[in-house]
């Protein structure tokens, strides 16, 4: 498997308004349009109320394109309007494997098990 990176955005939400949804949609569309974007997943923890969005990237340069984009920068400036806190984790994927029973953004990029 070639090098893959993830950007995980975990947050506690407040009330989302139309401005949030428009900006969130713009960021998602932007991410999907960047060469090097592989796919994404989203998770919500019912117990804690936290939400995680995980984006998969072929390179740090592709991820940096999203991070540095003015739409993403606008969201960072406005996050306190809609979020009660957040954490971002950027990581390099070391291995991935599975039985093929579920669709996954990295399903076609599986490497041998460590």
């Amino acid at each position: 498997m070639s090098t893959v990176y993830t950007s995980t955005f975990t947050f506690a939400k407040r009330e989302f308004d139309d401005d949030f949804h428009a900006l969130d949609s713009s960021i998602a569309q932007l991410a999907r349009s960047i060469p090097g974007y592989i796919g994404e997943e989203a998770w919500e923890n019912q117990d804690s109320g936290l939400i995680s969005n995980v984006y998969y990237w072929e390179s740090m340069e592709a991820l940096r394109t999203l991070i540095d984009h003015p739409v993403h920068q606008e969201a960072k400036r406005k996050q306190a309007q809609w979020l009660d806190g957040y954490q971002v984790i950027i990581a390099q994927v070391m291995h991935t494997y599975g039985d093929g029973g579920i669709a996954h953004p990295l399903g076609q990029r599986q490497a041998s098990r460590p």
Side-chain angles (χ1 to χ4, degrees):
M1 179 177 70
S2 61
T3 302
V4 172
Y5 296 90
T6 64
S7 56
T8 302
F9 178 57
T10 302
F11 60 95
K13 67 180 181 177
R14 291 184 180 171
E15 292 296 318
F16 293 165
D17 58 16
D18 290 342
D19 289 340
F20 170 85
H21 290 295
L23 191 55
D24 187 58
S25 178
S26 294
I27 291 171
Q29 290 174 8
L30 170 64
R32 294 175 190 130
S33 74
I34 295 170
Y37 165 87
I38 297 170
E40 64 193 77
E41 299 177 284
W43 304 94
E44 184 167 356
N45 182 317
Q46 296 296 321
D47 293 332
S48 69
L50 296 177
I51 298 169
S52 284
N53 295 322
V54 183
Y55 287 85
Y56 297 92
W57 303 93
E58 290 180 347
S59 68
M60 281 303 298
E61 293 78 18
L63 172 54
R64 177 61 54 196
T65 298
L66 176 66
I67 291 170
D68 293 339
H69 194 279
V71 172
H72 185 264
Q73 292 298 313
E74 177 184 358
K76 285 178 68 172
R77 285 191 302 276
K78 294 181 175 182
Q79 61 81 21
Q81 295 176 31
W82 305 299
L83 307 181
D84 272 335
Y86 72 92
Q87 182 72 40
V88 176
I89 299 170
I90 308 298
Q92 182 178 352
V93 176
M94 302 302 292
H95 299 282
T96 179
Y97 57 91
D99 66 1
I102 62 171
H104 189 274
L106 299 182
Q108 299 300 317
R109 297 169 179 264
Q110 292 189 6
S112 61
R113 188 174 178 170

